[in-house]
Amino acid sequence: MQIFLTGGTGTIGRAVLAQLLARGHSVKALARSAESGARLRAAGAQAVSGDLREPRGWLEEAARCDTLVHTGATFDAQAVTVERRLVAALKTLPADRPHPFNVVYTGGVWLYAASPVVPLRENTPFHPLPAFAHVANAIRSLLPMRHIALSVIHPALVCGREDGPVADMRHAAETGQAFRTRAGLDTLWPLVSDEDLADLYVRAVEARRYRLSTFGCGVEAVPVSTLMRLVSDSLGLRLDLEHEERAPDLDPHHDVTAGYALSQCVSSAGAAKLLGWSPRHTTPADLVYAHTPVAR
């Protein structure tokens, strides 16, 4: 299939791009800069110049593809406007297509409330943090569009070799710094490997389901203290936690790191049932060993 990908140089997008190509799909990827375009081409994609903030400039190209995979986000003061513009642009796509336009959209666990005991599941209602309410609103707006076949993936905290909580802990330990986070030692984090998550995205692309929503989570919940200990032991280095509070003058609607303070447990049973997904890394130790190069 021909896939159009946003966010192809980000943590999720890089892994999704690699998996799509490995499965034989052709990928066009949005590139805002010449540097991004070069990185995407080096990874095997066809770079398409455009700006996430101006979807009408690239959506026509995306609509000629079989599927739009949206993993891009700005995480800035324009984030709300960006998603509203994308929803508005998708709404204007021709409704007389032979088949609904396949869209795989990225949500997230921070669209849900703290849930340290009862795992989040596909029927759990949204209760987003203020900084991510616009994402929940975008999903609600897209769902009724009959010319859109929408699949929504809600990733847990994504861990790659260079990005995510495990990489951040490793960097802190290797540089002799404390791991700074909004979480406490007892905070529960749901985690997923970037490669496992990418496999889930590709499964959603290939399934072409209508109104699918599921969680991408390999490790249902792990205390931050346990994750830190595993990273510390794997490196043979000390690792301490430094708790951060929200800056007093920071608008909660712009507080994109508030989710790290949430204790959440997430079930992966829905993704297994709906898409046959079986993540490889399902224990904290597996995840740390896979994403800490020196760990053995």
Side-chain angles (χ1 to χ4, degrees), residues 6-241:
T6 70
T9 59
T11 303
I12 297 175
R14 284 196 306 271
V16 171
L17 172 57
Q19 287 269 10
L20 285 168
L21 294 172
R23 299 269 265 268
H25 299 291
S26 175
V27 181
K28 294 183 178 181
L30 187 66
R32 187 182 180 193
S33 66
E35 179 186 359
S36 294
R39 291 168 63 189
L40 291 166
R41 285 189 291 272
Q46 177 184 340
V48 176
S49 296
D51 192 330
L52 200 63
R53 296 168 175 81
E54 298 294 339
R56 293 186 189 276
W58 51 264
L59 192 58
E60 184 176 339
E61 179 77 20
R64 286 195 285 267
C65 298
D66 298 296
T67 299
L68 166 64
V69 179
H70 181 48
T71 69
T74 60
F75 297 109
D76 59 17
Q78 290 185 292
V80 176
T81 300
V82 169
E83 292 306 309
R84 285 177 178 170
R85 287 178 177 172
L86 176 58
V87 170
L90 286 167
K91 188 175 183 179
T92 65
L93 289 179
D96 58 352
R97 296 170 60 98
H99 305 284
F101 183 42
N102 197 35
V103 176
V104 179
Y105 189 89
T106 303
V109 293
W110 294 349
L111 302 188
Y112 298 87
S115 185
V117 177
V118 179
L120 299 174
R121 299 182 185 275
E122 283 70 16
N123 61 354
T124 303
F126 285 153
H127 192 286
L129 292 169
F132 298 94
H134 65 284
V135 180
N137 290 334
I139 293 169
R140 293 188 186 105
S141 297
L142 290 168
L143 281 171
M145 296 184 189
R146 300 181 65 85
H147 64 294
I148 301 291
L150 181 70
S151 295
V152 182
I153 307 296
H154 295 289
L157 276 63
V158 185
C159 298
R161 280 185 172 262
E162 303 301 328
D163 302 285
V166 171
D168 291 344
M169 288 179 180
R170 187 183 74 235
H171 176 74
E174 289 174 342
T175 57
Q177 302 177 55
F179 173 59
R180 302 180 66 189
T181 178
R182 299 285 288 277
L185 289 171
D186 296 329
T187 303
L188 297 176
W189 280 351
L191 305 173
V192 65
S193 159
D194 57 350
E195 293 181 353
D196 283 339
L197 181 63
D199 176 64
L200 179 60
Y201 271 80
V202 176
R203 287 172 182 271
V205 166
E206 295 173 343
R208 299 179 66 89
R209 298 286 292 273
Y210 193 75
R211 296 183 181 177
L212 178 143
S213 178
T214 194
F215 288 97
C217 183
V219 177
E220 292 195 351
V222 57
V224 170
S225 59
T226 298
L227 196 63
M228 291 179 63
R229 176 180 54 77
L230 287 167
V231 173
S232 175
D233 288 350
S234 72
L235 296 171
L237 297 171
R238 177 171 177 161
L239 181 60
D240 297 315
L241 182 143

